[in-house]
Amino acid sequence: MARKAKVVGEARFTPKRAKNAVAVAKVLGPAVLPVMAPLAVRAAGAAREAYDRYQARKLGVSVDKLGEYTGRGAALHARIAGVAEGCQDLRKSEKASKADAEFAAGALGTLEQLSASVRAAERMPAARRKSVHRAVAGELERLEGQLLHRLGL
């Protein structure tokens, strides 16, 4: 039996092929679904875990703290938390001078204000939010530089 010549522009998925696909799915579905469902669930879980690890690595935090940093300002919140932790370490350091302790106290106050600014920016229009985020990032860079200098790095 000769095949029909394919007409240019003919649809590949026709109503007849759709009926055939549905019929095959009705027969194979009950047999394949119980086997494939657990595999699909495990694959989805593994994909989610990999994505969470990627996000945590991108923000510079551990996976269990990932839920604390959400929204458009998540990266800034993570940076603020990191600098605050560094200031606490500087304050507790045995080598810290009185000036270092004063810097840490002042920086922690500034970091609280920056954190409030990032939270407030979440509800702003995109252009204003981006300008707030740029300003906060600039201030964070300055504080990080001073903190690293005081820690001797």
Side-chain angles (χ1 to χ4, degrees):
M1 178 176 202
R3 289 185 170 239
K4 290 184 183 177
K6 191 166 192 170
V7 178
V8 176
E10 181 182 329
R12 290 187 148 180
F13 200 69
T14 62
K16 182 178 178 181
R17 288 186 180 169
K19 285 180 186 179
N20 287 342
V22 169
V24 168
K26 283 182 180 179
V27 172
L28 292 180
V32 174
L33 191 61
V35 173
M36 295 303 289
L39 295 174
V41 169
R42 271 191 242 130
R48 180 60 196 207
E49 185 178 331
Y51 180 72
D52 286 347
R53 281 195 314 267
Y54 165 75
Q55 285 291 103
R57 190 171 42 253
K58 191 168 97 172
L59 292 177
V61 298
S62 64
V63 176
D64 38 320
K65 288 188 176 183
L66 189 59
E68 297 175 23
Y69 307 108
T70 59
R72 297 180 190 271
L76 288 173
H77 279 298
R79 282 181 66 193
I80 289 170
V83 173
E85 192 175 307
C87 287
Q88 294 292 349
D89 291 344
L90 177 65
R91 198 187 251 182
K92 293 176 186 174
S93 174
E94 297 172 359
K95 298 178 184 178
S97 66
K98 185 177 178 183
D100 291 340
E102 290 174 4
F103 165 77
L108 287 171
T110 302
L111 291 171
E112 287 178 19
Q113 291 175 347
L114 293 177
S115 182
S117 298
V118 173
R119 277 193 307 275
E122 291 292 323
R123 294 174 292 282
M124 291 181 184
R128 289 187 63 200
R129 181 182 60 245
K130 287 178 183 178
S131 68
V132 168
H133 285 185
R134 276 193 300 272
V136 168
E139 185 66 19
L140 273 175
E141 285 178 20
R142 186 185 67 77
L143 283 174
E144 287 169 339
Q146 289 179 351
L147 178 63
L148 289 174
H149 177 72
R150 289 180 183 276
L151 288 172
L153 301 174

